[in-house]
C-alpha cells in the first residue's frame, strides 16, 4: 500500500467514519459507505517549482536529445508554435496559464535570433474551435494582441488547402497534418501533461491532424481491445501515434516542450474538496453545506458556470524540452510522481462520483454520451497493468445524468444519441454503418469550421472510448439519474439511491463482494500488480 505524506492512499471504512464526499455533476453529495469498503485517495499536490520561468529557461538551454533551442534558430526562418487546446487542464489554470509563460519565453528567443515569420496554432484536431477569450487566456493579453487573428488561430482539420499528407506508416496509416506546421523550418509544440494519455507523439500527429489520420487509431477495434489508453507502454493506441510520429519526424523538425502540473485542483475557497472527510473542521463542513445549497439554488447553466468559475492554482512540477521521445519519458516520470497510487488488488465493485466537467464539455453540458465516455472511458482507464475492477464486475456512477445537449458545441452528439443509439450500441456496427456519413456531413463540417461545434465524427470516438470499459464490466449502474431513459439508452441500469445501487451490485457479483470508492477528483492512476 502506498503512503504519501504519512497518510495511506487506501482507507478501510469503519462504522465511525463520516459520510464520504462524492462529486455529482455540478455539485456534491455525501454517502455513508458500508464497513469494509476501501476508499482510494489521490496523492496530495506535489510542491511546485519556485520559479517557473527559470525552469523553462533551463529546459530550453539544456534539452533532452537535441541541441539547445538557440542552436536551431536563424534569421529569416519560418517557425510555428503549436499548443494544447481547452481540453486541459481541468478546471482552467489561474493566470498566467503555463502555456503563456512558455510561449513568451520562446518568442523572446525567436526575436533575439531575428525570426519574424512566426505563427501560433491551437491544436484542436477534431475538437471545437477555441474562442478568442480562451485563446487569450492561453497565451496572455500581450501575445494575443500581437498575433490574433492572422498569426494566432485554431487548426482547421477540414481546410482543403490547409493540410498536407506527409506519408504513410508501414501499417498503412496516413499521416496528414496542418500545412503551415508541416512547411515550417521548425515546429515548437507546447504541451501540458495532466494524464499519461497526453503528450509525446499524441501531440503533433493527433493535435494538428485530420480525420483521414485520426481514424487509424480512434476506431472501434483499437479502442475496444486496447489494454489502457493511460498506460502508454502497453497501449496499441500509443503505438499507432508513435508510428505516425516516426513518419513525421523524417520531414519536419519538432522541438517539444512538455510541462507537468501538480494536483492543486481547487481554489482555497473550496479547500475542503482536497481534504479527507475525517480531517474536515467546522469551517470545511459549513463551506460544504453552503456551497451545496448555493449550487442547488442556481439554474443549470449558471450552476455549471459557477462550478468552474474559480480557476485552479496549479503549480508547475516539471518542464522538459527537446526530442519528443526523450522529453515524454521524463514527463511521464513526473506525472507518475503526482498521480500514481499503488493498489494491491482488484475489486468486484467500484464507486465513482463524476464531476460536471470533462475534456470535451468545457463551458458546456456533460451530455449522456460524454457521461459514458468520462465514466467507462476515462475513469475506468485510470489504471496501469490491470483495471481497478475485475472483469464482469460493477461500476456505480453517481451523476445527475440528464437528457441534455449543448447544440452549439455538440450538434452531431444530439443526432448520434437520438438517431443512432436507438438502433444499436455496438461500436463496430456504429462504425461500419454510420461513421463515414457523419464524418463527411457537410453541415457538421460547416459548424466545425465556422461555429464552435465538435467535428461530426467526434461522438463516435467518445463512444468507442468507453467501449473497452463497457465490454469489461458486467454492469454499470447510474444513481438517481434525472433521465432514466438517457441512462438506459447508453447501457446503464438505474438505481434510486446509492444504497439500492450497492445492493443490486452485490446481488449481481455474488459472494463477499470487494468494493472500493475511487475518490476523485483530484485524478489518480491506480497501479495494480501485473
Amino acid at each position: 500500500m502506498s503512503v504519501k505524506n504519512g497518510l495511506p492512499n487506501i482507507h478501510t471504512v469503519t462504522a465511525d467514519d463520516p459520510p464520504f464526499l462524492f462529486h455529482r455533476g455540478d455539485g456534491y453529495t455525501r454517502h455513508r459507505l458500508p464497513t469494509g469498503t476501501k476508499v482510494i485517495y489521490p496523492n496530495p499536490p506535489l510542491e511546485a517549482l519556485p520559479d517557473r520561468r527559470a525552469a523553462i529557461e533551463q529546459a530550453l538551454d539544456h534539452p533532452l536529445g537535441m541541441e539547445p533551442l538557440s542552436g536551431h534558430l536563424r534569421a529569416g526562418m519560418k517557425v510555428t508554435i503549436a499548443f494544447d487546446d481547452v481540453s486541459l487542464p481541468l478546471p482552467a489554470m489561474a493566470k498566467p496559464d503555463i502555456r503563456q509563460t512558455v510561449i513568451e519565453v520562446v518568442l523572446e528567443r525567436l526575436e533575439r535570433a531575428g525570426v519574424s515569420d512566426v505563427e501560433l496554432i491551437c491544436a484542436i484536431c477534431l475538437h471545437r474551435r477555441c474562442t478568442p477569450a480562451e485563446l487569450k487566456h492561453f497565451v496572455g493579453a500581450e501575445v494575443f494582441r500581437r498575433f490574433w487573428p492572422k498569426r494566432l488561430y485554431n487548426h482547421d482539420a477540414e481546410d482543403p488547402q490547409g493540410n498536407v499528407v506527409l506519408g504513410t506508416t508501414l501499417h498503412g496509416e496516413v499521416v496528414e497534418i496542418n500545412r503551415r506546421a508541416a512547411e515550417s523550418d521548425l515546429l515548437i509544440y507546447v504541451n501540458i501533461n495532466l494524464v499519461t494519455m497526453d503528450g509525446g507523439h499524441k501531440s503533433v500527429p493527433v493535435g494538428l491532424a485530420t480525420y483521414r489520420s485520426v481514424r487509424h487509431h480512434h476506431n472501434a477495434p483499437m479502442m475496444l481491445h486496447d489494454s489502457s489508453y493511460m498506460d502508454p507502454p502497453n497501449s496499441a493506441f500509443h503505438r499507432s501515434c508513435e508510428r505516425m510520429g516516426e513518419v513525421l519526424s523524417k520531414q519536419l523538425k519538432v522541438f517539444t516542450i512538455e510541462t507537468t502540473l501538480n494536483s492543486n485542483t481547487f481554489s482555497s475557497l473550496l479547500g475542503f474538496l482536497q481534504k479527507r472527510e475525517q480531517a474536515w473542521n467546522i469551517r470545511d463542513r459549513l463551506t460544504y453545506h453552503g456551497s451545496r445549497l448555493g449550487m442547488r439554488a442556481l439554474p443549470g447553466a449558471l450552476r455549471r458556470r459557477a462550478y468552474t468559475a474559480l480557476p485552479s492554482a496549479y503549480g508547475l512540477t516539471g518542464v522538459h524540452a527537446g526530442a519528443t521521445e526523450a522529453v515524454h519519458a521524463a514527463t511521464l516520470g513526473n506525472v507518475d510522481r503526482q498521480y500514481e497510487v499503488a493498489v494491491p488488488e482488484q475489486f468486484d465493485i467500484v464507486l465513482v462520483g463524476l464531476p460536471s466537467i470533462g475534456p470535451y464539455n468545457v463551458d458546456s453540458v456533460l451530455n449522456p454520451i460524454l457521461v459514458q465516455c468520462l465514466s467507462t472511458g476515462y475513469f475506468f482507464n485510470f489504471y496501469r497493468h490491470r483495471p481497478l475492477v475485475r472483469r464482469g464486475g460493477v461500476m456505480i456512477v453517481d451523476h445527475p445524468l440528464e437528457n441534455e445537449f449543448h447544440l452549439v458545441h455538440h450538434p452531431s452528439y444530439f443526432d448520434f444519441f437520438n438517431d443512432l443509439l436507438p438502433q444499436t450500441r455496438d461500436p463496430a456496427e456504429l462504425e461500419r454503418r454510420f461513421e463515414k456519413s457523419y464524418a463527411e456531413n457537410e453541415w457538421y463540417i460547416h459548424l466545425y469550421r465556422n461555429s464552435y461545434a465538435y467535428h461530426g465524427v467526434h461522438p463516435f470516438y467518445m463512444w468507442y472510448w468507453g467501449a473497452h470499459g463497457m465490454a469489461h464490466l458486467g454492469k454499470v449502474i447510474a444513481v438517481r439519474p434525472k433521465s432514466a431513459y438517457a441512462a438506459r439508452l447508453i447501457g446503464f441500469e438505474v438505481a434510486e439511491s446509492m444504497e439500492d445501487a450497492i445492493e443490486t451490485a452485490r446481488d449481481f457479483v455474488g459472494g463477499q463482494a470487494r468494493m472500493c470508492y475511487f475518490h476523485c477528483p483530484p485524478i489518480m492512476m491506480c497501479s495494480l500488480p501485473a
Side-chain angles (χ1 to χ4, degrees):
M1 182 183 301
S2 62
V3 177
K4 295 291 177 73
N5 288 2
L7 292 172
N9 287 96
I10 302 177
H11 169 76
T12 303
V13 176
T14 70
D16 296 327
D17 280 329
F20 290 84
L21 179 76
F22 280 67
H23 282 252
R24 180 178 164 83
D26 302 307
Y28 340 101
T29 188
R30 299 176 77 189
H31 296 292
R32 289 196 176 275
L33 300 180
T35 300
T37 301
K38 304 294 186 182
V39 179
I40 305 175
Y41 286 103
N43 298 323
L46 294 174
E47 185 175 350
L49 298 176
D51 188 336
R52 63 162 67 177
R53 186 181 178 89
I56 294 165
E57 298 272 8
Q58 172 74 11
L60 299 182
D61 290 335
H62 300 87
L64 304 175
M66 294 180 77
E67 60 180 312
L69 177 61
S70 59
H72 301 281
L73 305 180
R74 67 180 187 279
M77 70 186 303
K78 178 189 292 187
V79 174
T80 297
I81 302 172
F83 54 92
D84 288 338
D85 73 352
V86 75
S87 60
L88 49 81
L90 302 171
M93 189 175 189
K95 295 180 180 181
D97 189 284
I98 188 60
R99 283 163 287 205
Q100 172 184 339
T101 311
V102 173
I103 289 170
E104 287 175 345
V105 173
V106 169
L107 287 175
E108 289 173 6
R109 303 262 178 134
L110 296 178
E111 289 169 6
R112 288 201 298 267
V115 179
S116 58
D117 187 354
V118 181
E119 294 187 10
L120 282 67
I121 304 177
C122 187
I124 66 169
C125 189
L126 304 180
H127 297 175
R128 71 165 174 85
R129 295 188 308 144
C130 293
T131 67
E134 288 167 340
L135 292 172
K136 186 176 182 179
H137 178 82
F138 302 156
V139 304
E142 177 59 23
V143 173
F144 183 85
R145 182 191 64 77
R146 289 173 53 197
F147 286 86
W148 170 264
K150 297 295 185 181
R151 296 193 296 146
L152 167 63
Y153 49 88
N154 293 289
H155 167 59
D156 184 348
E158 289 290 348
D159 183 350
Q161 283 76 47
N163 298 286
V164 61
V165 175
L166 296 182
T168 305
T169 73
L170 294 177
H171 286 64
E173 299 146 323
V174 176
V175 181
E176 184 176 41
I177 70 164
N178 182 279
R179 181 179 293 275
R180 162 71 197 200
E183 295 178 350
S184 295
D185 297 304
L186 178 65
L187 173 62
I188 301 172
Y189 197 98
V190 180
N191 158 265
I192 300 174
N193 242 87
L194 205 63
V195 295
T196 50
M197 183 182 70
D198 296 326
H201 283 300
K202 186 174 175 289
S203 292
V204 176
V206 177
L208 294 175
T210 66
Y211 169 67
R212 191 177 177 188
S213 281
V214 170
R215 63 183 178 175
H216 293 293
H217 38 67
H218 282 60
N219 59 64
M222 181 168 289
M223 293 191 174
L224 184 62
H225 300 296
D226 207 347
S227 58
S228 173
Y229 326 128
M230 301 290 178
D231 190 7
N234 298 304
S235 170
F237 171 86
H238 287 276
R239 296 293 81 71
S240 178
C241 294
E242 289 166 3
R243 290 191 295 269
M244 292 184 171
E246 290 175 7
V247 171
L248 185 147
S249 64
K250 293 176 182 177
Q251 302 185 50
L252 175 62
K253 183 185 291 185
V254 179
F255 191 89
T256 297
I257 305 171
E258 293 192 346
T259 63
T260 53
L261 306 177
N262 65 15
S263 61
N264 195 22
T265 307
F266 304 102
S267 74
S268 59
L269 294 175
L270 298 176
F272 68 92
L273 293 174
Q274 293 203 169
K275 288 185 178 181
R276 303 190 181 198
E277 293 83 356
Q278 301 89 337
W280 282 12
N281 55 33
I282 293 176
R283 180 181 177 181
D284 294 325
R285 290 193 288 271
L286 290 173
T287 304
Y288 161 75
H289 287 293
S291 62
R292 184 176 178 225
L293 290 173
M295 287 287 194
R296 291 172 63 182
L298 294 173
L302 287 178
R303 187 169 63 250
R304 285 189 291 271
R305 186 170 298 177
Y307 188 82
T308 57
L310 297 173
S312 301
Y314 301 108
L316 180 68
T317 60
V319 54
H320 297 90
T324 301
E325 293 88 350
V327 167
H328 197 52
T331 296
L332 291 179
N334 261 351
V335 174
D336 287 343
R337 281 198 307 127
Q338 177 60 82
Y339 296 111
E340 186 172 27
V341 172
V343 179
E345 61 178 345
Q346 286 185 306
F347 294 88
D348 303 296
I349 303 168
V350 61
L351 283 60
V352 299
L354 291 187
S356 68
I357 188 171
Y360 315 113
N361 75 307
V362 177
D363 287 334
S364 184
V365 179
L366 197 73
N367 64 54
I369 296 167
L370 291 177
V371 169
Q372 187 255 21
C373 176
L374 191 60
S375 56
T376 63
Y378 274 86
F379 275 58
F380 174 81
N381 277 287
F382 279 133
Y383 72 84
R384 181 167 288 128
H385 305 307
R386 292 194 298 162
L388 186 60
V389 59
R390 67 164 174 81
R391 182 170 294 279
V394 178
M395 175 181 279
I396 297 175
V397 177
D398 195 6
H399 187 273
L401 207 161
E402 300 179 69
N403 188 356
E404 184 179 4
F405 291 80
H406 192 295
L407 295 183
V408 173
H409 291 174
H410 300 127
S412 64
Y413 277 75
F414 179 84
D415 295 339
F416 180 98
F417 179 80
N418 288 287
D419 297 343
L420 304 190
L421 288 187
Q423 300 181 57
T424 181
R425 288 196 295 265
D426 180 70
E429 186 175 355
L430 287 164
E431 181 180 63
R432 176 175 54 82
R433 292 175 59 190
F434 304 114
E435 180 185 305
K436 188 172 186 290
S437 65
Y438 271 59
E440 297 178 354
N441 182 287
E442 292 184 3
W443 178 240
Y444 296 148
I445 290 173
H446 168 77
L447 294 176
Y448 162 80
R449 298 191 68 194
N450 300 289
S451 182
Y452 293 96
Y454 283 80
H455 194 279
V457 78
H458 204 259
F460 289 82
Y461 293 165
M462 297 304 97
W463 192 256
Y464 307 158
W465 211 249
H468 175 52
M470 291 292 287
H472 179 94
L473 296 162
K475 193 186 294 287
V476 181
I477 304 173
V479 178
R480 291 184 296 118
K482 291 186 177 180
S483 173
Y485 168 78
R488 293 189 175 106
L489 189 58
I490 63 173
F492 292 7
E493 294 191 10
V494 173
E496 293 304 314
S497 67
M498 180 63 75
E499 292 73 20
D500 289 345
I502 291 173
E503 182 178 355
T504 299
R506 282 175 161 172
D507 289 344
F508 179 78
V509 299
Q512 298 296 314
R514 296 164 298 169
M515 185 165 65
C516 71
Y517 168 35
F518 186 83
H519 200 298
C520 176
I523 59 175
M524 55 183 153
M525 272 285 294
C526 295
S527 181
L528 284 82

